[in-house]
Amino acid sequence: MNRKTLVLPAVIGLLAPVLAACGGSAGGGKDGNPIAVGTTDRFIASKAVPAPFDPAYAYDAGSWNVLRQTIQTLMAMPRGGGEPVPDAAESCGFTDTGNERYACTLRKGLSFADGTPVTASDVKFSVDRVRTLKSDSGVSALLSSVDTVETKGRDQVIFHLNTADATFPYKLATPTAGIVNPDDYSRGKLRNGFAIDGSGPYTLDAKVKNNTLVKAVFTKNPHYKGQLKPKNDKVELVSFADTDAMGKALQKGDVDMMTRTMSPEQIKQLSADPGKNINLVEMPGMEIRYLGFDTSAPVVRSKAVRQAMAQVIDRGQLTADVYGSSAEPLYSLVPAGITGHTNSFFNKYGEPSVGKATSILSRAGISTPVKLTLHYTTDHYGPATKREFEVLKQQLNSSGLFSVDIKGDAWDTYRASELKGKYDVYGLGWFPDFPDADNFIAPFLDKDNFLASPYANSTIRDQLIPESRREADRLTASKSLTRIQDIVSDDVPVLPLWQGKQYVAARDDITGVEWALSSSSILQLWELGRGVSG
């Protein structure tokens, strides 16, 4: 066969099992107690990561999930997925046929949490600030299609784009386009530390110890006006050092729900026996994991080395041995369930083959074994990451074509080191900014990309990405998107590994858990309430 089809619906309504909890409450919890949610995301303010919660800097799923509770955007993603809907805006839309002029009108009476009115000039300030600061996290690339921002009166904002961009409404729904108060945020520098001020559904009280956030306390913002309807008054997001500690806290009742990142062992155990008054919810996800390459580094400069790795790595064994049923092999940057997905890597390489990899290296005159180090982060994607890289090392070394070592680093230094080009080969995950194929392509391949990658393909950047963005009908864009994926499978600037599902475990008196995570991994704390235990 020359093609493998993977099917994973990207619709959050397909859930198993359905929670048994019934009823609801507008309160934070019993006796006024807040709903407590556990996470293994770690938030550290350091020299390497000075501004973890500044919209002009933050560019990881954990930080964005804090910002989404507090910083309001013109557009927002609806609870069940689909196209963005107005939030801070009363209405938004393209006003031309070429998708190059996008206009929004703000809601009446909109204000920041301190009561200060939100105006069109604040929106312009916020977007222009991200573009001007252009932080090394790469987040400003989301707004790269903006040419100028114009305001008319206090409530109208017009975005003039430098190229057609049918995905622009999705980008306005990301925290990068979040509206901040010029009184709290400087135009010329990042806001260091953990303070956040906005007009979103909650305010934040950050509990910090040794420059590390240990608890984020979200309190319902009485000034919020938008499409979200918070079902609680207060939620605490509690950061745990590891999954075991988080799991024990759920069992003891110290937290009411736990989310990213649960270990494969926890998921397996909870699936078989969740324990008294605890439910496990499985939902579709669009998280992907991949290997990135510094294509200017001598050891992986030749694409033959990268192609040989793609030919040897056995994704099926990797996912089965490490993640079990919680992950599926991935053969493209664009995951299954997203319009435009195609299995380009499987089409090119087929099943793993040492013989084919040997021929690739031999034709390129590459001496073997190729010595390299695979780098991974020890504390950002869960405890299974180390085991994943041990399996990758074993697969590559057992071929006889590679001599691989692995090395793990903490996230607060890992991401900064990757951006500075200190790693030749490194592992990262991607939780989409929005559910469109463009967001699995442009952040890795366009100019000023998320990886700070030296790889540059003019056909992709100058022709295919702009071509795909001109198509408001994303199915029509599939031809361009498929060509991009085929080029990536040949050049291998990144090597996709697997696509994951999402899991949430919660005590059965917590309602709204089925909406707690969107298919794009957006943490929707406003959906949680407290009902009656089963």
Side-chain angles (χ1 to χ4, degrees):
M1 64 182 294
N2 62 5
R3 185 177 181 86
K4 181 177 288 187
T5 301
L6 307 176
V7 179
L8 182 61
V11 181
I12 200 169
L14 303 177
L15 302 170
V18 177
L19 289 182
C22 58
S25 171
K30 293 178 180 178
D31 303 320
N33 292 329
I35 294 172
V37 176
T39 180
T40 57
D41 282 326
R42 305 290 284 169
F43 307 103
I44 301 172
S46 64
K47 184 178 180 180
V49 185
F53 292 157
D54 191 322
Y57 184 87
Y59 204 13
D60 67 271
S63 296
W64 270 25
N65 278 333
V66 173
L67 286 171
R68 289 185 190 277
Q69 319 305 315
T70 51
I71 300 288
Q72 194 174 16
T73 48
L74 291 170
M75 304 291 285
M77 299 304 299
R79 63 173 353 199
E83 296 184 357
V85 296
D87 188 26
E90 180 180 281
S91 62
C92 282
F94 285 105
T95 60
D96 66 335
T97 57
N99 294 334
E100 294 182 356
R101 187 179 187 274
Y102 196 80
C104 295
T105 300
L106 295 180
R107 289 181 185 267
K108 304 297 182 184
L110 202 66
S111 66
F112 292 107
D114 64 1
T116 304
V118 176
T119 67
S121 64
D122 296 324
V123 178
K124 174 178 169 58
F125 168 85
S126 302
V127 172
D128 284 346
R129 177 176 179 267
V130 173
R131 297 168 60 227
T132 299
L133 286 173
K134 204 171 185 179
S135 70
D136 62 7
S137 68
V139 72
S140 63
L142 278 170
L143 301 176
S144 62
S145 61
V146 176
D147 184 24
T148 59
V149 183
E150 176 189 359
T151 63
K152 287 188 176 182
R154 292 175 59 86
D155 62 355
Q156 293 187 54
V157 187
I158 302 169
F159 298 92
H160 299 277
L161 308 184
N162 51 37
T163 185
D165 187 359
T167 69
F168 190 66
Y170 288 97
K171 294 171 182 176
L172 287 183
T174 68
T176 305
I179 306 167
V180 300
N181 192 334
D183 292 340
D184 299 315
Y185 293 80
S186 169
R187 182 184 300 273
K189 64 179 182 180
L190 294 170
R191 185 177 185 179
N192 293 353
F194 300 102
I196 307 174
D197 292 282
S199 57
Y202 297 97
T203 60
L204 171 69
D205 179 13
K207 307 297 185 182
V208 180
K209 183 177 181 180
N210 298 327
N211 294 320
T212 300
L213 183 78
V214 294
K215 183 187 294 185
V217 181
F218 299 104
T219 302
K220 189 175 179 179
N221 174 15
H223 294 285
Y224 170 72
K225 289 187 177 181
Q227 63 100 18
L228 304 177
K229 307 298 180 187
K231 297 175 176 60
N232 58 71
D233 294 326
K234 184 174 288 188
V235 183
E236 294 180 350
L237 186 66
V238 184
S239 181
F240 289 89
D242 54 60
T243 56
D244 287 341
M246 181 172 65
K248 289 176 182 177
L250 180 67
Q251 294 288 346
K252 290 170 60 180
D254 293 339
V255 298
D256 300 294
M257 187 181 93
M258 65 178 184
T259 174
R260 50 172 283 148
T261 302
M262 296 162 62
S263 70
E265 292 77 18
Q266 277 183 324
I267 294 167
K268 184 177 180 180
Q269 180 182 345
L270 288 168
S271 296
D273 181 17
K276 185 178 180 181
N277 299 328
I278 293 175
N279 291 297
L280 178 70
V281 178
E282 173 191 309
M283 55 194 73
M286 291 182 278
E287 171 192 4
I288 69 169
R289 297 286 177 86
Y290 59 92
L291 292 178
F293 298 92
D294 178 354
T295 54
S296 65
V299 69
V300 290
R301 181 181 298 150
S302 170
K303 74 175 182 180
V305 173
R306 308 191 300 268
Q307 288 177 332
M309 292 176 68
Q311 186 65 74
V312 166
I313 289 174
D314 187 337
R315 296 167 178 81
Q317 181 199 26
L318 178 68
T319 54
D321 287 359
V322 181
Y323 296 100
S325 62
S326 64
E328 295 280 355
L330 180 64
Y331 298 92
S332 169
L333 278 175
V334 180
I338 293 289
T339 300
H341 162 80
T342 185
N343 290 302
S344 296
F345 273 81
F346 189 86
N347 295 342
K348 181 172 178 62
Y349 299 100
E351 298 292 346
S353 170
V354 173
K356 290 180 180 179
T358 301
S359 297
I360 291 171
L361 293 172
S362 177
R363 288 195 300 268
I366 304 294
S367 299
T368 58
V370 178
K371 295 182 179 182
L372 49 85
T373 299
L374 306 185
H375 295 265
Y376 67 94
T377 175
T378 57
D379 59 348
H380 193 64
Y381 300 118
T385 305
K386 181 180 180 181
R387 172 60 180 154
E388 176 181 341
F389 275 73
E390 289 172 342
V391 172
L392 288 171
K393 174 183 176 179
Q394 186 275 328
Q395 289 184 356
L396 291 166
N397 287 348
S398 65
S399 72
L401 302 175
F402 296 92
S403 177
V404 171
D405 287 324
I406 60 174
K407 186 176 186 301
D409 293 300
W411 179 253
D412 62 325
T413 58
Y414 182 84
R415 175 67 173 138
S417 295
E418 182 273 314
L419 288 171
K420 292 176 182 176
K422 293 184 178 180
Y423 302 148
D424 296 343
V425 189
Y426 51 89
L428 282 174
W430 183 252
F431 298 84
D433 307 326
F434 51 88
D436 186 275
D438 179 85
N439 193 240
F440 292 91
I441 289 173
F444 307 102
L445 305 173
D446 211 351
K447 184 180 178 182
D448 299 324
N449 59 71
F450 167 75
L451 301 176
S453 172
Y455 174 78
N457 184 290
S458 58
T459 300
I460 292 176
R461 289 186 180 181
D462 302 335
Q463 177 186 337
L464 297 175
I465 289 178
E467 192 175 89
S468 69
R469 287 176 175 171
R470 284 195 288 270
E471 300 295 345
D473 181 348
R474 304 312 286 160
L475 188 61
T476 306
S478 293
K479 183 177 179 180
S480 301
L481 296 170
T482 297
R483 284 191 61 196
I484 293 172
Q485 292 167 81
D486 288 345
I487 292 172
V488 170
S489 69
D490 186 60
D491 288 351
V492 200
V494 288
L495 177 54
L497 297 173
W498 57 265
Q499 171 179 353
K501 301 175 185 177
Q502 300 184 118
Y503 295 86
V504 173
R507 305 194 70 81
D508 67 0
D509 64 332
I510 302 301
T511 61
V513 176
E514 66 271 33
W515 303 108
L517 280 176
S518 76
S519 58
S520 299
S521 300
I522 297 173
L523 186 59
Q524 303 177 143
L525 295 179
W526 51 85
E527 295 286 354
L528 301 178
R530 203 181 288 278
V532 179
S533 176

